[in-house]
Amino acid sequence: SARASGGAAGPPMRAIFISNNLGVLPKPFFPEGTGADYTPSPLLERLAAHRADFTVVSGLSPPNVRGGHSTENCFLTAARNTTASGFRNTISLDQFAAERIGHLTRFATLNLGVNIDRGNRSLAWTRDGSLIPAEDRPSRLFERLFVEGTAAEVAARRRRLRERESILDALAADARRLEARVSAADRRRLEQYLTSVRELEDRLQVAGAWEARPRPAAPAARPADVTDRARLFEGFEAMLAMARLALETDSTRLVTLMVDAFATPAFRLADERTTTDGYHNLSHHGQSAEKLAQLEQADRWQMDLLGAFLTALADRREGDGRLLDRTIVLYGSNLGDANTHDNTNLPILLAGGGFRHGSHLAHPHDDNLPLSNLFVSILRRLGIEAD
């Protein structure tokens, strides 16, 4: 479409997709009642200042995406049968969108993580189902976004891009020669490989063009990395701040951010107390009052950080509107209830992006609608035709 190709006038549309792979406690999250007259839950009360800017959706989940924690990499892919032998993931929502609009910015997407197990978990996956490692250091992301480097460093980056292009040419040529000598099944696997090579070639060409353009001036000081894994939510706050800078400078229009609670040990709460156990063990609370109280504190902090993020986007003017109105914010999880490994009735909150907000959209809890229906709405809002 015209908007997806950059032909539309006015500020661009952007999106950030955020997931905590252990979710939130469902009862304190979901509100009572439906429509615009719903009664906010204790957690949604933390977002009261933005009630008109977000929508809560219940009764959503990806069909046949079951398997407890094994679904954490499928929040944006909806790939089915995660526990099946030989399971392979599919393309994630951000990468699908990046194929259409990624060339419009220096970075097609930014994939971020907090306390993340970078080799095993990610929200971003390529078309052939390969994991894209998440950036987990705010300072390193700051350098990529805003630090130009010396003339020698710029020249070295361009040289590396040219070298990678020549390597990919050789690999693709070898694969095509092999294609005529292998079975049909192996040819399909080779085609997946060649698709990955073509995607990389396209991205290298775009990267080469952007390398010739100056980076934007840094709108803030270089952040310090939060290296203590017990400081989970300080790390989350730092990554949200960097994501906001990337979006408001139009360095990218697509951001993913996974909060890897599963990999988080005993962690600090807002009152500086440390939890009695790691996040994963706490999530299997078995209705323990002590564990539930700690989880509720953690969930309140999450909502406070999300609320502050929405406030920062709302305070930033872009053209004649707010940056929030041009930024789709999706917050959710692959788990509806971590205590029971339930992958249905996911906690989904959609904010900004110019949607009509202020309601609780409730769908059947015993017969969920596909989460991907919401993904289609998001893609269309980004100017990408999808069904």
Side-chain angles (χ1 to χ4, degrees):
S1 71
R3 281 190 292 168
S5 63
M13 190 66 73
R14 307 169 178 91
I16 177 169
F17 310 113
I18 306 167
S19 173
N20 179 323
N21 58 4
L22 292 180
V24 293
L25 293 169
K27 189 172 181 180
F29 177 79
F30 286 111
E32 294 290 332
T34 61
D37 297 326
Y38 73 85
T39 301
S41 64
L43 290 180
L44 295 182
E45 284 282 8
R46 319 290 290 196
L47 302 173
H50 292 289
R51 177 163 175 155
D53 292 322
F54 69 83
T55 299
V56 183
V57 192
S58 59
L60 290 183
S61 63
N64 297 324
V65 180
R66 304 292 182 265
H69 296 299
S70 66
T71 64
E72 60 201 347
N73 291 326
C74 301
F75 180 62
L76 295 182
T77 71
R80 303 181 179 202
N81 304 317
T82 59
T83 58
S85 175
F87 168 77
R88 191 170 186 85
N89 215 341
T90 55
I91 190 168
S92 53
L93 175 63
D94 62 304
Q95 298 301 307
F96 184 91
E99 291 180 346
R100 277 72 171 177
I101 63 174
H103 64 285
L104 300 175
T105 53
R106 182 180 296 275
F107 300 100
T109 62
L110 288 176
N111 181 35
L112 313 178
V114 182
N115 280 9
I116 195 161
D117 180 355
R118 297 178 75 242
N120 293 305
R121 297 190 185 102
S122 179
L123 288 181
W125 294 76
T126 65
R127 182 162 285 282
D128 71 338
S130 297
L131 176 150
I132 300 176
E135 177 57 73
D136 58 357
R137 288 178 52 190
S139 65
R140 194 158 49 197
L141 178 57
F142 182 92
E143 291 176 0
R144 290 178 62 198
L145 291 172
F146 304 120
V147 178
E148 196 69 59
T150 65
E153 288 169 337
V154 172
R157 289 200 299 266
R158 292 178 181 174
R159 183 175 64 253
R160 285 195 296 271
L161 288 171
R162 290 193 298 270
E163 289 170 352
R164 289 172 184 169
E165 287 178 353
S166 64
I167 291 169
L168 287 174
D169 288 343
L171 288 172
D174 285 348
R176 291 190 186 96
R177 283 194 293 271
L178 181 62
E179 198 170 18
R181 306 200 303 270
V182 298
S183 68
D186 285 340
R187 278 197 297 274
R188 285 194 295 272
R189 190 72 191 91
L190 266 175
E191 182 54 39
Q192 288 181 327
Y193 167 75
L194 289 170
T195 297
S196 295
V197 171
R198 286 191 290 269
E199 289 175 358
L200 256 179
E201 288 174 337
D202 291 343
R203 291 191 178 192
L204 285 172
Q205 290 176 2
V206 171
W210 278 102
E211 201 56 59
R213 306 183 192 181
R215 282 168 167 74
R222 182 195 303 265
D225 293 330
V226 181
T227 57
D228 184 356
R229 296 175 72 82
R231 297 281 183 179
L232 170 68
F233 293 113
E234 287 97 329
F236 186 20
E237 183 177 25
M239 273 304 186
L240 284 173
M242 286 306 305
R244 177 178 57 80
L245 293 181
L247 293 169
E248 72 178 37
T249 57
D250 205 30
S251 297
T252 189
R253 295 177 188 170
L254 299 163
V255 178
T256 57
L257 174 52
M258 176 186 274
V259 178
D260 191 354
F262 190 91
T264 297
F267 57 95
R268 295 290 181 87
L269 298 169
D271 60 7
E272 285 297 314
R273 287 188 299 165
T274 300
T275 58
T276 57
D277 212 334
Y279 212 138
H280 177 221
N281 287 345
L282 281 182
S283 73
H284 293 296
H285 50 76
Q287 304 306 317
S288 162
E290 182 183 18
K291 291 184 176 181
L292 285 168
Q294 294 175 70
L295 288 169
E296 285 189 37
Q297 286 192 59
D299 290 347
R300 286 196 294 269
W301 200 349
Q302 286 191 79
M303 293 300 107
D304 289 346
L305 292 177
L306 185 59
F309 182 67
L310 297 180
T311 296
L313 293 178
D315 288 346
R316 175 75 176 187
R317 305 299 297 180
E318 186 176 52
D320 59 355
R322 307 177 303 168
L323 182 59
L324 179 59
D325 297 324
R326 305 293 303 177
T327 304
I328 302 163
V329 181
L330 175 67
Y331 172 88
S333 178
N334 55 292
L335 285 172
D337 188 345
N339 182 50
T340 58
H341 286 166
D342 186 7
N343 298 122
T344 64
N345 299 316
L346 304 183
I348 300 295
L349 188 147
L350 184 75
F355 288 100
R356 292 192 302 274
H357 288 302
S359 294
H360 171 209
L361 303 182
H363 302 293
H365 283 199
D366 57 351
D367 187 18
N368 288 181
L369 263 64
L371 176 61
S372 295
N373 288 3
L374 179 59
F375 293 170
V376 170
S377 297
I378 290 171
L379 288 167
R380 291 176 176 171
R381 184 63 53 147
L382 289 169
I384 298 168
E385 294 303 321
D387 58 24

